[in-house]
Amino acid sequence: MGTISSSGLISGLDTQNLIDQLIQAASGPSRLAQNRLIGLQTEQAALLDITSSLSALRSTAGAFRVNSSFAAKSASSTNTDVLTATASSFAQETTSTFIVDRLVTTRQQLSRGFADRDSSPLGATSFTFESEKARLERDVSLSLFNDGEGFTRGSIDITDDDGDTATIDLSRAATVQDILDAVNEASIDTVASVSDGRIVFSNVDRISNTGSREVVESLGFTPDVNGDVIAAVDTLESATVFGLSSITSLGELNDGLGILLDDTIDVGGATSPDFIVTVDDGGTTREIEVNLGSIYEDDDDGAPVEQEGPVTDIAGVIARFEAAAAEVDGVGVDVTLSANIETGALEFSTGGGVTITSIASAGASQAAEGLGIDGVSSAGSLSGDRILAGLSTRLAKNLNGGNGIAGSGFITFTDRDGTSSFVTGLSSLTTLEEVISSINSQLETAGNGITVGLNDAGTGLLVTDNTSGAGEIVVAGTAGFNTAESLGIETTGAGVGNATFRGSSLQLQYIGESTLLSELNNDSGVSTGSFEIRNGLGETATINITEDDTTIQDVIDRINSAFSGNTVTASINANGDGILLTDSTGGNVALRVSDTSGSPAADLRIEGEAADPDTSNTIDGTFEVTVEFDASDTLDDVVDKINLDENSPVGVSVIDDGSSARPFRLSFISNEAGRDGRYVFDTNGFDLELSTLDEGEDARVFFGSNSTESAVLLTSSSNTLDGVFQGVSIDLRATSDEPVTLTVSQNTSEVEDDIADFVSAFNNVLDRIERQTRFVEETNERGPLLGKSTIISLRNTLFDAVNGNPQGFTTGFDRLPEVGITVGEGGRLSFDRDQFREALEENPEAVEDLFTRRTIDPDGGVLDFSTDDVEITVDDPTARTQFTELGIIPFLEEELSRYVDTVDGILTREGETLDSRVTLQQDRIVRLQGNLDRERERLERQFIALERSLADIQGQQSALASLAGLG
C-alpha cells in the first residue's frame, strides 16, 4: 500500500505529521511495554552473568576432586642435562639415584671404498638381511646366571700364564659378551670364552676378587682359602652358571620358539590337558593329565572365569605336574619332574614300582614336543631332549628350518696338504657348539689342518685350512645320508682352492607356531585388521585378525579354516622364518593375498601374489629379505634397490670420505635403535670388507646406588625408561659418571594454582553480584538485580559455606583459614601460599579432605514401602544425591549445584521464569504494534477520503463559476 504525501494537495494540511502525532499519542502502552522488555532483558543478562560465574566457580571447586589436584606429582633432576622425568598423578613419591652409563645406539656398518658411485658396476649379485634372531650365536643376559640369582658385578684380578696381572672391571657388565670383551681386550694373554653353560679362561694362572664382592663366585668358580682360583694347566673352567632351571621361562625354550599350548575350554569350564603321562603303577595303567594353560571355573551363570593364568616358566610346569599327579585316583603316583641344568633337559624320576610307559601331547597342544619329553620309556624313568642351548650357541634340532642335522653324522675332510680325515657321531649332538667342537677335536686328533667355525654373518659355517698346501679343500658326506650337505659345507667338483670356504646358511628356525605376533617386526608386532586370500580357482576368503590372535598358530588356524576343503593351507615355511601359504586347487589363478583393513598381511610378509603359479602356487612369508642386483648395477643402483624394499631393516647411503682413489663407501644404518635393531647381513660371497662402527646397544643405566657395582642395572631399547617407577617416564639425555638424583614428590604448585583459581573465581562471583545489585546514591543508579531475594540468599550461602566446617567428619584442620584461605578486605577471599604449604606439610590428608572428601550415602534417595510382612524399597528417581561426608569445598560445590543445576537449579528456574516473561512481553509488544499499525492505516484512509471530498467540492465550485460566466 502506498503512503500519502506529507501535505494534502487540496487541503494543504501536513497530514503525515498529524498522523504521526496521533499515533504517538496512542503508543503510550507500547512504549511502556518496550521499556518493560528492556528491563526484563537487562535482568535476564544480569542473571546469566551471575549464573555463568557460579558455574565457573563450581568447576574450579570440583577440580580439586575431579582433576586429583592433590595427587599431582612433579619430578626434578639434579642434572637436567643428563636426565629429566615427568610424573603422572599416580606416581609414587621417591628419591633415587641414577648413573647414565650409555645412551641407546644404532647398528651401523661401513663398506670399503669404491672409485665411483654411478658408472662402474658393483659386481654383487644379492644382499640378504635378516633379524638378529637368525644368528647361530647369541648373547645371554647375566641376570639369568645361577638359577636366576644373577651375576654379582664388580672387579676381578686375572694373572695370565706369563705372570702379568690386570684388573678387569665387570661392574658394568650386562651380558656374557660384556664379560668376554672386558677380559679379551685387557693387556694380558688370558682369553675368555664360553663352553655350553660355563665360563672358560685360557692362558691363565689365577683369578681372584679385588674387593669384598663375590664376583669370582658368581662366575662359577670356587676360590681357595686365600681367595684365589688357581689354574692347573693354564685353563680354568667354571661350574655351570647357565642352564635349564626353575626360573627358565617357557618363551626361552627351543632357542626362543617356546612351546605351543592348547587354550581350548571344555564344557563346565574345564581345560584340555596339554600333555598326558601314562604310567604303569604296579600293573594298573594310570594317566596324569597336565594342563599348562589357564585354569577356569564356571560362574553362577555357567560362564568360564579364569582363576589362574597359563604357566610361564619351568617351575610352573613342575608345579602343575605335581598337582596333577597328586590327584590321580585321589592318591597320587610316585613320579617327579625336575630340570637338569647340565643337560638342559627335563627329567622324570619314578619310584614305588611305577613305570612311565608314554608321554604325549594332547589336543591341539604341542607341549610334550616343546618340552622335549614326548616318547616312551620302558625303564620307568625318562630324560627329555635338550630344550635350552648353552651360553652362546643354538640347538642343533632348529637348524635347516627346524629339520635339524640330517644324514649319518659322517663327514670326510681333506685339507690342502692332502690329509684326509673322517669325522663321525655328529647326528647325535644337541647343539651347534657341540658339532663344531667335535669336528675340530676329531680333525686335530687326526692331524688334519682344517678347522670349522662360524662365518662373518653368523648364519653358517666357515671352513678354514691352516696348512700351506697347494691342493683343494674337500668336504664330503655320505651319499643319501649327507651330513656335510646338511651343515652347508659340502664342496662340489674337485674342491675349493682357497684357504677358506664359506658354507651356506644353516637357516636357523626362529619363527614357530608359538611365536608371539607381538615379537615380529622387531617387536612392533602385527596389526589387527583383515586380509583377503584368493585361491587358484579365483575363490576368495577374508581373514580377520583380532586382539585375541596372539601367536603364529592363531593366524595359521584362521587361514586353514577359511576355505572349505582346505584349498589354501598355512604352515611354517621350510626355513622356519615365516608362514608358507600353499594352494592345492590345481587352478591356474595365482594365489594372492591383499590387506583390506589394517596391515596384518603385510606385517606377516604374506601380502602379494604367487610368482609362478604354474610351477608352485605358493606365497612364502619369509622374514628374510634378499635384494637382487643386476650385473650393471652401480653403488647408487644398489642403494636405491635396498631402500625401496619396504621390508629392509636398514637404510643405505653412499658417503664420500674425501680420499682421492676410492672415496665412495656404502653406509648401512639400522632402521631400529638398540639391540632390537641389530640385523644379520650376508653379502652372499661379495667382499664389502665391512667394518662395524656401532653394534647397536641398548641404553644402560645404574639405579639405586652411587656405585655401579651395587646399583641395579637397567637397560632400554630407547632413551626413555617407563617401567622403573609407576607413573614416571624418565628421559635420558647424556651419559655421566656422576650420579644424578631424581626426586618425585607432590606437586604443590599445581594445587596452589588451583586454589588461586578457586579464590579468583569466588571473588569474581562476588564482583558480579555486587555489580548487578548495586545502588549508587549520588546518581540513583540501580543494578538490575537490586533487592533480588534469590541473589541475597546466594551471597549468604557462599559465605556460610567458606566460613563453615566439614560435614560429617572432623580432621586436623576444620576451617579454610587454617590452611591459608581467609575472608579479607571487602569480603573477598585471599590465599596465603606459605600458610597452605605449612599446613600441607603438617597434615596433608587433613588438608586434602577439606578440598576433596565427598562420601555418597548409599541409603540416600531410597523410598521405603515396607510393611510388617514385606520389605519393599525403591530408589527415588527425583531425589538428589545425598552424602554422609562433605569437605568444605565439596559442600560449596553441592550448594552451587542447587543454584546452577541445568534441570532444577534455583537460578535455572529463575532464568526460565524470566524467559517466559520476556516472551510474553515480546508477544504483547507485537500485539500493541499491530494495533498502532492498523490505527495508522485507518487515519491514512480518512485523510485520503477528506482530500477526495475537498477535490469534489472544488470541482463543483469551478463548474458553477463557469456557468455564471456564461450568464
Side-chain angles (χ1 to χ4, degrees):
M1 176 179 176
T3 59
I4 63 174
S5 61
S6 59
S7 60
L9 295 175
I10 303 301
S11 65
L13 297 173
D14 188 352
T15 56
Q16 184 64 51
N17 186 45
L18 288 172
I19 291 173
D20 288 342
Q21 291 181 31
L22 291 171
I23 293 298
Q24 178 70 19
S27 64
S30 179
R31 287 196 301 275
L32 290 175
Q34 288 283 2
N35 292 335
R36 180 57 180 153
L37 175 62
I38 293 171
L40 289 173
Q41 289 175 331
T42 302
E43 187 177 347
Q44 193 179 43
L47 188 65
L48 180 61
D49 180 48
I50 290 178
T51 301
S52 62
S53 66
L54 280 180
S55 296
L57 176 58
R58 183 177 65 167
S59 295
T60 58
F64 299 107
R65 175 177 51 83
V66 176
N67 298 337
S68 302
S69 300
F70 281 87
K73 303 296 192 303
S74 63
S76 61
S77 168
T78 56
N79 190 339
T80 55
D81 291 334
V82 175
L83 179 150
T84 60
T86 56
S88 65
S89 60
F90 54 87
Q92 66 183 86
E93 296 185 25
T94 184
T95 299
S96 302
T97 300
F98 294 85
I99 299 174
V100 182
D101 184 60
R102 181 176 66 204
L103 297 181
V104 70
T105 63
T106 303
R107 182 172 175 82
Q108 181 175 4
Q109 293 180 294
L110 198 63
S111 77
R112 61 182 169 92
F114 296 89
D116 63 77
R117 60 183 297 169
D118 55 8
S119 57
S120 301
L122 180 64
T125 57
S126 65
F127 290 162
T128 299
F129 303 93
E130 202 161 7
S131 165
E132 176 83 358
K133 296 175 182 178
R135 289 186 66 87
L136 296 172
E137 56 187 354
R138 63 173 184 157
D139 197 7
V140 172
S141 170
L142 298 180
S143 64
L144 300 176
F145 269 30
N146 302 307
D147 199 15
E149 293 184 5
F151 170 68
T152 302
R153 297 192 313 278
S155 298
I156 61 173
D157 283 337
I158 299 181
T159 302
D160 65 17
D161 52 0
D162 289 333
D164 296 325
T165 300
T167 297
I168 311 298
D169 182 7
L170 301 179
S171 67
R172 300 169 188 267
T175 68
V176 172
Q177 193 60 49
D178 290 337
I179 292 177
L180 303 184
D181 290 343
V183 175
N184 295 333
E185 293 171 5
S187 58
I188 53 176
D189 293 336
T190 299
V191 176
S193 61
V194 294
S195 175
D196 202 356
R198 298 176 172 86
I199 304 293
V200 179
F201 293 132
S202 304
N203 305 329
V204 64
D205 177 66
R206 70 183 60 206
I207 61 174
S208 59
N209 293 313
T210 59
S212 60
R213 296 180 65 79
E214 296 181 343
V215 183
V216 168
E217 290 84 345
S218 71
L219 288 171
F221 297 97
T222 303
D224 59 21
V225 293
N226 297 317
D228 297 324
V229 181
I230 308 297
V233 286
D234 298 339
T235 299
L236 287 172
E237 183 175 292
S238 74
T240 300
V241 290
F242 173 77
L244 190 69
S245 68
S246 60
I247 60 99
T248 303
S249 71
L250 300 190
E252 290 180 57
L253 302 181
N254 304 305
D255 292 334
L257 294 176
I259 64 174
L260 183 65
L261 304 180
D262 185 2
D263 57 0
T264 303
I265 305 175
D266 294 335
V267 177
T271 48
S272 301
D274 286 289
F275 68 92
I276 300 173
V277 180
T278 304
V279 300
D280 184 344
D281 184 11
T284 301
T285 299
R286 302 172 185 270
E287 289 186 343
I288 305 173
E289 297 186 348
V290 184
N291 167 35
L292 301 180
S294 296
I295 296 176
Y296 296 86
E297 288 184 7
D298 282 355
D299 60 16
D300 295 338
D301 297 326
V305 178
E306 186 180 65
Q307 302 297 311
E308 184 178 341
V311 166
T312 59
D313 55 25
I314 293 297
V317 173
I318 295 173
R320 291 282 182 92
F321 173 79
E322 290 175 347
E327 293 179 358
V328 173
D329 287 348
V331 293
V333 293
D334 193 4
V335 183
T336 59
L337 178 64
S338 61
N340 190 315
I341 192 172
E342 301 288 342
T343 64
L346 290 175
E347 293 183 347
F348 286 94
S349 301
T350 63
V354 177
T355 300
I356 297 176
T357 60
S358 70
I359 305 175
S361 294
S365 177
Q366 297 178 14
E369 294 88 343
L371 292 170
I373 55 176
D374 58 317
V376 178
S377 174
S378 59
S381 298
L382 183 143
S383 180
D385 296 330
R386 184 163 193 158
I387 53 177
L388 187 71
L391 283 171
S392 64
T393 189
R394 304 289 188 176
L395 295 173
K397 67 180 182 180
N398 291 327
L399 302 179
N400 297 303
N403 293 310
I405 300 175
S408 62
F410 182 95
I411 303 178
T412 302
F413 289 87
T414 303
D415 64 20
R416 292 184 298 169
D417 272 346
T419 301
S420 184
S421 309
F422 304 122
V423 171
T424 63
L426 301 181
S427 59
S428 63
L429 302 178
T430 59
T431 69
L432 182 59
E433 181 183 76
E434 290 176 346
V435 171
I436 293 174
S437 178
S438 179
I439 292 173
N440 290 335
S441 177
Q442 292 185 57
L443 291 179
E444 181 181 13
T445 300
N448 194 296
I450 289 177
T451 56
V452 174
L454 294 181
N455 64 23
D456 56 345
T459 58
L461 299 180
L462 181 69
V463 179
T464 302
D465 187 308
N466 299 290
T467 72
S468 57
E472 309 285 334
I473 298 175
V474 179
V475 183
T478 304
F481 306 94
N482 199 333
T483 301
E485 180 184 31
S486 181
L487 287 173
I489 55 175
E490 181 184 33
T491 57
T492 58
V496 177
N498 298 326
T500 60
F501 166 52
R502 194 174 188 275
S504 60
S505 173
L506 288 179
Q507 297 296 346
L508 174 72
Q509 180 180 7
Y510 60 90
I511 292 179
E513 291 85 354
S514 59
T515 298
L516 296 176
L517 300 182
S518 60
E519 294 178 351
L520 300 179
N521 301 302
N522 285 336
D523 294 333
S524 295
V526 174
S527 165
T528 57
S530 59
F531 56 88
E532 181 185 82
I533 300 178
R534 182 189 66 187
N535 68 13
L537 298 176
E539 301 166 334
T540 61
T542 298
I543 313 299
N544 294 310
I545 304 299
T546 70
E547 292 181 353
D548 293 331
D549 300 307
T550 58
T551 66
I552 288 288
Q553 186 63 47
D554 291 333
V555 176
I556 289 175
D557 288 343
R558 288 196 180 274
I559 294 173
N560 289 343
S561 62
F563 288 92
S564 60
N566 292 331
T567 57
V568 176
T569 56
S571 60
I572 301 298
N573 65 9
N575 289 342
D577 60 8
I579 294 176
L580 176 69
L581 300 184
T582 303
D583 176 84
S584 59
T585 63
N588 57 5
V589 178
L591 179 65
R592 185 185 67 192
V593 178
S594 54
D595 279 315
T596 53
S597 70
S599 58
D603 295 340
L604 290 164
R605 307 289 174 91
I606 56 175
E607 186 179 36
E609 192 169 286
D612 188 4
D614 294 331
T615 303
S616 177
N617 207 5
T618 61
I619 293 177
D620 190 343
T622 175
F623 273 74
E624 180 181 274
V625 178
T626 298
V627 183
E628 305 283 350
F629 306 124
D630 297 329
S632 60
D633 282 345
T634 64
L635 282 183
D636 284 344
D637 295 330
V638 167
V639 167
D640 289 342
K641 287 187 174 181
I642 295 174
N643 289 337
L644 285 173
D645 192 312
E646 60 183 12
N647 292 322
S648 172
V650 301
V652 192
S653 60
V654 177
I655 66 169
D656 185 345
D657 65 9
S659 61
S660 57
R662 300 179 181 275
F664 300 105
R665 298 169 179 260
L666 290 174
S667 170
F668 300 85
I669 301 178
S670 173
N671 294 330
E672 300 287 339
R675 296 177 73 89
D676 287 342
R678 292 185 178 184
Y679 55 86
V680 172
F681 180 17
D682 194 339
T683 62
N684 298 313
F686 184 79
D687 186 12
L688 277 179
E689 296 181 16
L690 284 172
S691 58
T692 300
L693 305 182
D694 199 312
E695 286 287 359
E697 296 287 356
D698 288 345
R700 185 166 60 193
V701 180
F702 295 95
F703 156 67
S705 174
N706 293 336
S707 167
T708 56
E709 291 185 350
S710 56
V712 176
L713 173 61
L714 307 174
T715 60
S716 173
S717 59
S718 71
N719 287 327
T720 299
L721 303 176
D722 288 328
V724 183
F725 306 116
Q726 183 182 18
V728 180
S729 180
I730 302 172
D731 293 321
L732 310 178
R733 299 183 177 276
T735 61
S736 175
D737 291 332
E738 297 299 320
V740 177
T741 300
L742 177 67
T743 301
V744 179
S745 58
Q746 185 175 18
N747 188 353
T748 59
S749 62
E750 183 169 331
V751 71
E752 287 172 18
D753 290 343
D754 284 350
I755 293 175
D757 290 342
F758 165 77
V759 168
S760 176
F762 187 93
N763 290 338
N764 181 54
V765 171
L766 296 181
D767 290 343
R768 301 295 179 93
I769 291 175
E770 186 175 282
R771 173 172 176 76
Q772 303 301 347
T773 60
R774 68 190 180 279
F775 174 71
V776 183
E777 187 173 357
E778 293 81 0
T779 61
N780 202 34
E781 182 185 3
R782 297 170 178 266
L785 301 179
L786 177 65
K788 196 79 169 178
S789 61
T790 303
I791 306 304
I792 295 172
S793 175
L794 167 62
R795 192 176 189 280
N796 293 335
T797 297
L798 293 175
F799 281 105
D800 286 345
V802 296
N803 289 322
N805 298 92
Q807 307 292 307
F809 69 94
T810 58
T811 67
F813 299 110
D814 291 324
R815 300 191 64 205
L816 290 182
E818 296 176 294
V819 297
I821 301 176
T822 57
V823 177
E825 184 179 351
R828 299 301 188 263
L829 292 186
S830 62
F831 176 42
D832 187 330
R833 290 177 182 260
D834 291 335
Q835 185 178 354
F836 174 78
R837 290 173 192 153
E838 291 174 3
L840 192 64
E841 184 175 352
E842 178 184 340
N843 193 338
E845 291 184 1
V847 175
E848 184 176 355
D849 282 344
L850 292 181
F851 289 84
T852 65
R853 193 159 173 176
R854 182 175 180 264
T855 305
I856 295 176
D857 183 358
D859 297 324
V862 176
L863 299 176
D864 192 344
F865 299 101
S866 302
T867 66
D868 293 339
D869 300 322
V870 181
E871 181 177 333
I872 303 174
T873 59
V874 296
D875 291 335
D876 182 359
T878 64
R880 280 186 172 274
T881 303
Q882 298 181 30
F883 304 90
T884 58
E885 296 176 325
L886 281 173
I888 293 177
I889 302 302
F891 174 74
L892 173 62
E893 184 184 356
E894 294 305 314
E895 289 292 280
L896 293 172
S897 294
R898 287 198 307 111
Y899 281 87
V900 297
D901 185 275
T902 56
V903 176
D904 60 355
I906 295 172
L907 295 188
T908 302
R909 293 197 304 270
E910 188 87 15
E912 290 171 350
T913 300
L914 275 175
D915 291 343
S916 298
R917 293 171 65 187
V918 166
T919 300
L920 290 173
Q921 197 66 19
Q922 289 172 332
D923 292 342
R924 182 166 182 264
I925 290 171
V926 169
R927 288 195 304 273
L928 290 172
Q929 185 61 46
N931 293 336
L932 290 175
D933 290 342
R934 286 189 292 274
E935 178 65 14
R936 179 180 291 276
E937 291 176 0
R938 186 184 66 79
L939 291 173
E940 288 176 347
R941 286 194 300 269
Q942 287 180 339
F943 275 104
I944 290 172
L946 174 63
E947 289 294 325
R948 286 174 179 171
S949 297
L950 290 175
D952 289 341
I953 293 172
Q954 190 178 44
Q956 291 174 359
Q957 288 177 340
S958 297
L960 291 174
S962 298
L963 290 175
L966 292 174

